[in-house]
């Protein structure tokens, strides 16, 4: 599969026009989100999904009655799309569990969680387990049966700001209640490792996952040597152009992670067809785009099992509870831990008259902090 120099120059210009606009990951994420918002259906006044989000900003955390519910994908996607600063992946390969956290007194949603199959490779996880789980079939099978990743952990705002809502949702992910929900949905699973990463790396000096021991512990920084994806019309135009150039699909129609593979293949086709100054300019564009990415903080939870590493790596299938921490992971204890922290935060903000009392949703007509 080859393209001509002229076709490669067209593709290189498309990459340059797209990525050279961004000076930081925040610029890229905002553009990505606003493109997604522009495609969202507009609800009738007074009838949008935002009406179901928590808005009793005078309610003290001690008075909140918190429940965790499984949610259907369509409903969950609608809520997440209006509160999250990243673009929501509607089609998710592998295992998945979508949850909503409800404040029962008001019957309003506090936030949303999506758990799923972990990504293939991650440096700090390899160091934690002292192995790469794909090293053999047995280890890979055991890892997939015992490990779950938090891809979306998003509180509604300003609930998240006022009462540490992100910590509540993250702690719920580390509860036995959620672990058992995953085991029940997928028979044969024996979950004992939860992992997640901060949405941003060096753009923020801290993460909502900091200060969460014993539930979550920081385990290191991920690598960041990958190119951000193009989105929206620029991506569709480039894809169509390249498929016309090669006379058919650039990658198979049924390929998993097709957009990622499509982008990688197009980059390779362009690079293979350029030389000299043209290749240098293209490589500079790709280098600048790579600089948009950041090393992210990696966090892990053992759910209070002392031998989770041996279970994840397949050395045994018998979990051993840690006497000091296992019971702390029961849902009621997780919520109790959060209430204390949230109450201190809430009272402090209230005394300083810094409580936020305006619901923050992405509608395209207001500025929202892309990095919280």
């Amino acid at each position: 599969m080859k393209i001509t120099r002229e076709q490669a120059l067209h593709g290189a210009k498309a990459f340059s026009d797209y990525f050279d606009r961004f000076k930081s990951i925040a610029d890229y994420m905002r553009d990505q989100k606003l493109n997604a918002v522009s495609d969202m259906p507009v609800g009738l006044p007074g009838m949008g999904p935002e009406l179901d989000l928590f808005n009793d900003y005078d309610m003290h955390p001690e008075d909140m009655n918190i429940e965790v519910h499984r949610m259907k994908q369509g409903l969950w996607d609608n809520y997440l799309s209006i509160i999250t600063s990243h673009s929501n992946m509607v089609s998710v390969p592998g295992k998945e569990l979508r949850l909503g956290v409800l404040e029962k007194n008001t019957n309003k949603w506090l936030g949303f969680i999506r758990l799923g199959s972990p990504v293939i490779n991650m440096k700090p996880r390899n160091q934690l387990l002292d192995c790469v789980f794909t090293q053999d079939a047995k280890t890979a099978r055991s890892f997939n049966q015992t490990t779950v990743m938090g891809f979306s952990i998003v509180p509604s705002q300003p609930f998240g700001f006022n009462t540490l809502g992100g910590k509540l949702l993250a702690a719920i992910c580390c509860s036995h209640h959620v672990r058992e929900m995953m085991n029940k949905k997928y028979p044969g699973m024996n979950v004992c490792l939860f992992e997640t990463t901060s949405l941003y790396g060096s753009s923020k000096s801290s993460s909502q996952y900091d200060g969460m021991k014993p539930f979550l512990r920081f385990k290191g920084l991920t690598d960041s040597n990958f190119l951000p994806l193009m989105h929206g019309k620029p991506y569709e135009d480039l894809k169509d152009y390249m498929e016309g150039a090669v006379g058919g699909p650039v990658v198979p129609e049924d390929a998993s992670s097709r957009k990622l593979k499509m982008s990688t293949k197009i980059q390779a086709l362009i690079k293979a067809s350029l030389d000299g100054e043209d290749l240098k300019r293209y490589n500079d564009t790709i280098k600048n785009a790579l600089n948009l990415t950041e090393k992210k903080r990696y966090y892990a939870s053992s759910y209070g099992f002392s031998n989770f590493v041996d279970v994840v790596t397949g050395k045994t299938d018998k979990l051993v509870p840690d006497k000091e921490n296992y019971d702390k992971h029961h849902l009621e204890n997780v919520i109790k831990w959060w209430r204390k922290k949230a109450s201190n935060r809430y009272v402090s903000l209230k005394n300083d008259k810094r409580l936020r009392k305006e619901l923050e949703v992405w509608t395209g007509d207001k500025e929202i902090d892309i990095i919280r």
Side-chain angles (χ1 to χ4, degrees):
M1 186 181 293
K2 295 182 179 180
I3 58 175
T4 67
R5 176 177 177 275
E6 288 71 24
Q7 291 166 337
L9 288 172
H10 179 98
K13 184 176 184 301
F15 274 101
S16 177
D17 289 346
Y18 187 81
F19 285 109
D20 289 352
R21 300 177 295 145
F22 307 126
K23 303 303 181 184
S24 68
I25 188 64
D27 293 340
Y28 169 78
M29 294 289 285
R30 180 173 291 280
D31 179 82
Q32 182 183 8
K33 182 63 183 183
L34 290 176
N35 272 312
V37 169
S38 67
D39 294 332
M40 288 167 51
V42 179
L44 295 174
M47 298 182 65
E50 64 272 13
L51 297 180
D52 298 328
L53 301 178
F54 182 78
N55 60 0
D56 188 349
Y57 311 124
D58 293 317
M59 180 180 286
H60 193 286
E62 289 289 349
D63 299 324
M64 296 180 186
N65 188 353
I66 294 166
E67 295 181 340
V68 181
H69 296 268
R70 281 186 60 181
M71 297 183 70
K72 293 182 178 180
Q73 178 176 339
L75 185 64
W76 187 93
D77 288 341
N78 288 341
Y79 289 130
L80 190 77
S81 295
I82 64 172
I83 67 170
T84 183
S85 57
H86 63 82
S87 293
N88 177 35
M89 288 180 60
V90 176
S91 178
V92 181
K95 301 179 179 70
E96 60 83 24
L97 182 66
R98 287 177 167 84
L99 303 174
V101 179
L102 186 75
E103 199 295 304
K104 191 175 179 181
N105 298 309
T106 57
N107 203 36
K108 301 279 188 177
W109 296 109
L110 299 174
F112 305 93
I113 296 166
R114 178 171 67 81
L115 307 179
S117 299
V119 296
I120 291 177
N121 195 23
M122 198 173 292
K123 181 180 177 180
R125 180 212 293 143
N126 297 342
Q127 294 172 335
L128 173 65
L129 301 179
D130 195 28
C131 74
V132 178
F133 81 89
T134 54
Q135 64 186 15
D136 58 66
K138 179 183 177 183
T139 305
R141 182 170 59 253
S142 179
F143 176 83
N144 285 319
Q145 290 173 339
T146 57
T147 307
V148 65
M149 188 169 200
F151 286 93
S152 297
I153 303 173
V154 186
S156 64
Q157 294 291 356
F159 166 74
F161 175 83
N162 290 342
T163 57
L164 303 176
K167 291 188 186 299
L168 171 64
L169 269 62
I172 286 172
C173 292
C174 304
S175 69
H176 295 308
H177 181 74
V178 168
R179 180 177 68 86
E180 289 159 4
M181 291 175 79
M182 200 72 181
N183 287 345
K184 183 177 179 180
K185 183 176 181 182
Y186 295 101
M189 288 201 77
N190 187 25
V191 175
C192 59
L193 173 61
F194 168 79
E195 58 181 23
T196 193
T197 61
S198 58
L199 182 57
Y200 298 97
S202 57
S203 295
K204 292 194 70 176
S205 59
S206 61
S207 164
Q208 68 179 10
Y209 308 129
D210 291 331
M212 289 195 61
K213 295 179 182 178
F215 305 111
L216 270 179
R217 298 177 187 271
F218 172 70
K219 293 296 183 180
L221 296 172
T222 66
D223 292 327
S224 61
N225 190 28
F226 66 92
L227 191 72
L229 294 176
M230 295 176 68
H231 295 284
K233 189 174 186 299
Y235 168 76
E236 295 297 333
D237 289 346
L238 178 60
K239 176 178 72 69
D240 292 345
Y241 180 86
M242 285 297 171
E243 287 182 337
V246 301
V250 174
V251 297
E253 297 283 356
D254 59 350
S256 60
S257 304
R258 189 168 189 265
K259 187 172 184 178
L260 175 60
K261 291 178 179 176
M262 176 81 72
S263 299
T264 302
K265 183 63 176 179
I266 289 174
Q267 293 164 41
L269 288 171
I270 293 171
K271 187 172 183 177
S273 300
L274 295 178
D275 56 21
E277 286 300 311
D278 294 332
L279 179 59
K280 182 179 181 301
R281 282 192 292 271
Y282 174 67
N283 285 338
D284 286 344
T285 293
I286 299 302
K287 181 180 178 180
N288 290 336
L290 285 169
N291 287 336
L292 293 175
T293 63
E294 303 175 338
K295 293 183 177 182
K296 297 180 181 180
R297 297 175 181 83
Y298 172 84
Y299 298 84
S301 173
S302 67
Y303 293 98
F305 293 108
S306 60
N307 67 332
F308 75 99
V309 170
D310 287 343
V311 176
V312 171
T313 54
K315 295 181 176 66
T316 180
D317 60 2
K318 182 176 176 57
L319 288 166
V320 178
D322 179 86
K323 292 180 180 179
E324 181 180 355
N325 290 321
Y326 178 82
D327 286 340
K328 295 177 182 178
H329 289 260
H330 288 300
L331 184 60
E332 61 270 22
N333 293 331
V334 163
I335 294 173
K336 181 179 179 181
W337 170 88
W338 167 79
R339 283 193 203 281
K340 182 177 180 180
K341 288 184 173 290
S343 296
N344 291 338
R345 166 79 170 182
Y346 176 83
V347 170
S348 176
L349 291 177
K350 189 172 184 179
N351 289 341
D352 293 343
K353 295 182 171 23
R354 292 194 298 124
L355 274 180
R356 296 182 182 178
K357 295 192 174 185
E358 182 180 354
L359 188 66
E360 297 180 18
V361 294
W362 283 90
T363 59
D365 60 355
K366 65 170 63 175
E367 286 290 314
I368 294 180
D369 289 338
I370 192 74
I371 300 181
R372 299 186 186 279

